[in-house]
Amino acid sequence: MADTTYSGDTAPNEPRRTSVTKRGGGDPASRGRTTIADGVVEKIAGLAARDVDGVHAMGSGLSRTFGAVRDRVPGGGGGKASVTRGVKAEVGEVQTALDLEIVVDYGVSIADVAGDVRENVINAVERMTGLEVVEVNIAVSDVKLPDEEEEESESRLQ
């Protein structure tokens, strides 16, 4: 029969207890860094701005025209560009600032639409990223008149 040695005060019929050293310390969420790319914030802000009634489009006329052409070219990357069109973000470690360029529908209060866009964008970006939005600058570049043709309509050529 083999001799069994028990360390400490552990009796032969009791489970052996070991001390556990906690490594890293603190909340697991605080172990490491999370970085958020400018493009992520731009997509969130672009989608949030488009959700506001009275916003007809994002970006200047020129950028929308180039975007319409890019969307028609296979492999032109139109998907990402259309979401972030008219949005520029500067992202730091804990804060972000945004510049948006919008086209509003004729007849709406531009001040009300801008306020609603600002509120919707701030809420969406802060909720999804945890970043503090320090400013949202909005430039209204055009007004969509009811009788204006869409710039992004189908081409007559095939």
Side-chain angles (χ1 to χ4, degrees), residues 46-125:
L47 291 171
R50 283 174 176 78
D51 282 345
V52 174
D53 288 335
V55 174
H56 178 75
M58 300 287 296
S60 67
L62 186 59
S63 70
R64 291 193 321 272
T65 301
F66 283 132
V69 171
R70 188 175 37 245
D71 289 347
R72 289 193 186 104
V73 175
K80 181 216 177 260
S82 63
V83 174
T84 60
R85 186 179 306 136
V87 182
K88 177 67 179 135
E90 292 180 37
V91 180
E93 289 186 26
V94 295
Q95 295 179 326
T96 186
L98 294 147
D99 294 321
L100 284 80
E101 189 171 1
I102 65 173
V103 176
V104 298
D105 292 321
Y106 176 79
V108 300
S109 166
I110 293 174
D112 290 347
V113 170
D116 291 346
V117 167
R118 192 171 281 113
E119 182 179 349
N120 208 34
V121 167
I122 289 170
N123 289 338
V125 171

